[in-house]
Amino acid sequence: MLKDTSFAIHPGKEQQTGPVIYQDIGNVLKHTPVDNIYLFTCENGDVAVQFYTDSIVRVVMNQKTEPKLHASKAVHVTPEDVRITEVNSEEVLKLKSNKLELIIRKTPFRITVKDDQDRLIVAEGERGMAYRENGEVTVFKEMNENDHFYGFGEKSGYLDKRGEKYEMWNTDVYAPHNPETDPLYESIPYFMTLRQGRAHGLFFDNTFRTEFDMKSASDYYSFSAEGGQVDYYVLAGPEPKAVLEQYTHLTGRMPLPPKWAIGYHQSRYSYKTEMEVRELAKSFVEHDIPVDAIHLDIHYMNGYRVFTFDKERFPNPEKLVYDLKEMGIRIVPIVDPGVKKDSEYPIYQEGVRENLFCKYIEGDIYFGEVWPGESAFPDFTDGNVRKWWSDKHAFYTNIGIEGIWNDMNEPAVFNETKTMDVSVIHRNDGEPTTHRELHNVYGLFMGQATYDGMKEQLKGKRPFLLTRAGYAGVQRYAAVWTGDNRSFWEHLQMSLPMVMNMGLSGVPFTGPDVGGFAHDTNAELLTRWTQVGAFTPYFRNHSAIETRYQEPWQFGEKYEAIMKKYIQMRYKWMPQLYSLFFQASKHGLPVMRPLLMEYPGDVKTYNLNDQFMIGDNVVIAPILTPSTTARAVYLPAGDWVEYTSGSMYTGGKQHLIHAKLEDMPIFVKKGTAVMQGEWNSNADKTSKNIRMDVYAGDGNGTYVFTYYDDDGETFAYENGSYLKLDVEVISNRDRVEVNVRSKDGDYVPGYKEITVNIIGLKEGQNVIINGEINRDNDKLSLKV
Ligand code: GLC
């Protein structure tokens, strides 16, 4: 195609554009407080300012009508009763909560937000809120020279997004994901700014195509939308963790996943027959390689019709699901939104008869080409349609399926625009709205329908949902994989900042296709990628049709042994990971974190792309290039112990670390602890013994962590059936203390105690467990 040749940069193609003309919001004409909402009538539009909590304030501007405050697809909480003090003068109105101060200049309307220490968070200068003739709305904010930007959902490129410009428009991109490939499948119009150790957040809740520009100017940034209102929230921080708690207070947190979902998943486009799936499961058992889920890609269906099985390829899916479950393995089938246009296919018939598909305003169903050929698309923006779709999942749950994989839900369509006609009108629960406005939430609503349906039908068991597309809040329903990457080292590298920024965008349960989807993988890449995968929150190996098979044993024994070691390691770390997932479900904190989250005062962490943390005390520094057996590792303040070798390193500097193919450097901070389980077998994945590895420190530190456990598969924890231990580790020159500070819940696990293993105890240091000094080197343990 010509656009893929140098013709694309033909000089005659330069676009001649004139200056963009913005209409500024103008001066404030009057303002009125109404129940914690401050309404401003300005020359060119109306603005509402609303405190959600002490630390969260919302600004809504509508240039045509009164600001709409109840239309959010992402925010499900209502504002708290926030005490505000008000100081009004001719020039400014100051509104102050306990944590935030808004200074609103009246001529023209400009907002400055400060924290409780009078420090600037966001500010507007010459330009503030504005709009254009074509309906586009834009907000300009001053950019500080020390600002670093993170989040923005699923973006390629590096961790720090300063100097970048991004668009939000859910897009199916099979072409290689390059640094300039934007947008991708997920739209999360949210970011966090880190400025000299302090952080704040900004969530632009607009579902239209939006743009964030931190590139075009050096002293301001902007965000804009193709239509709709300006509707954004400022989150006070001041720590990155606080920002994330605030953001997920608004958009929700991930549900606690079933334990099996955080194990290893094996996928392929496609394992095409029941026989092949059985053979695959058997191989995992024979090789003693852990696997919790096998995914069925589109070939399981009859002509790619959702809610069907191909009778020849999968003659007895119920037995398959049952037999595999006996082996400790779950089946996760793919479900795409497109319903094949086929007048003899019941799902299509129902959809047409009951008026459930997306339509044009004139009443015609919208058809688009996807895997099954011409297809109709359920209108998930409507509650009735969601209910219908939810109920349809009985087809899967009735045969024992507990997990679903949603794909193509941008929605992807095989045409020039890659998606549905933007003029399609969605029902939107009684407020008909165009696809142009709701495109970015189509996948979110499909996820909601799927998750809710599965949850209802599983009667107390936790469902698992994986999705490709989503919007802010997607974490409430689904884990996210990062779409069609390739078996390139560059894509392994890119997956780290991508997954970290997803975590900073409120989506902790994320991972790339391990090994790479398109293109042929190779032994070394797959091995290195599997090592990383063992510590990324979502861990699935997936590959495309006609590429080389990439199950862990495909490249011979040498590589298999290494991959097996790391997949098993995932299971050894399960108690630690599960406790972190618990934290994610409670506070919205990511499992996999950039170092800046724990060390926001350390500028060396601000754009550290090739290392990450698991929780607050483990640094992983994988090898991400071929034929490489050493790398520089930056360890932040503290002392660190390498997990496998036991070698010690001082933090606050870089080290050259050697790592042969069988090694991936993992560092645990001294003075902290990690919980470890064991690998038994595929049929029995529950650890009988739990160990707490305490990395003795000597620097007068106290470390507190929460260990969490429960049955791992039901919602019984909601009624108190869990075990939660707050454990503190105190390290002094003369002692290491391990104390259970508090115990919660009435779940009784299979183990009676947690073995305590002290690593690196110094001469002269006593060990004290729960206040008792250990004199005779007994086996140390904590009762549970
Ligand atoms: C899309 C998905 C991919 C899947 C394929 C076939 O490309 O991103 O994961 O294997 O469709 O269903």
Side-chain angles (χ1 to χ4, degrees), residues 172 174 185 267-270 297-298 334 336 371 405 407-408 468 481 483-484 513 517 540 542-545:
D172 169 19
Y174 179 72
Y185 316 86
S267 186
R268 167 93 186 161
Y269 169 28
S270 299
D297 209 325
I298 53 175
I334 196 168
D336 292 351
W371 306 123
W405 166 21
D407 185 23
M408 305 290 275
R468 194 170 72 175
W481 99 101
D484 295 345
D513 282 343
F517 175 69
R540 182 182 76 155
H542 181 49
S543 54
I545 195 164

Side-chain angles (χ1 to χ4, degrees), residues 74-93:
V75 176
H76 285 189
V77 287
T78 47
E80 287 169 12
D81 205 4
V82 181
R83 182 186 286 274
I84 299 160
T85 51
E86 187 186 324
V87 181
N88 193 12
S89 72
E90 189 132 332
E91 294 89 42
V92 293
L93 172 69

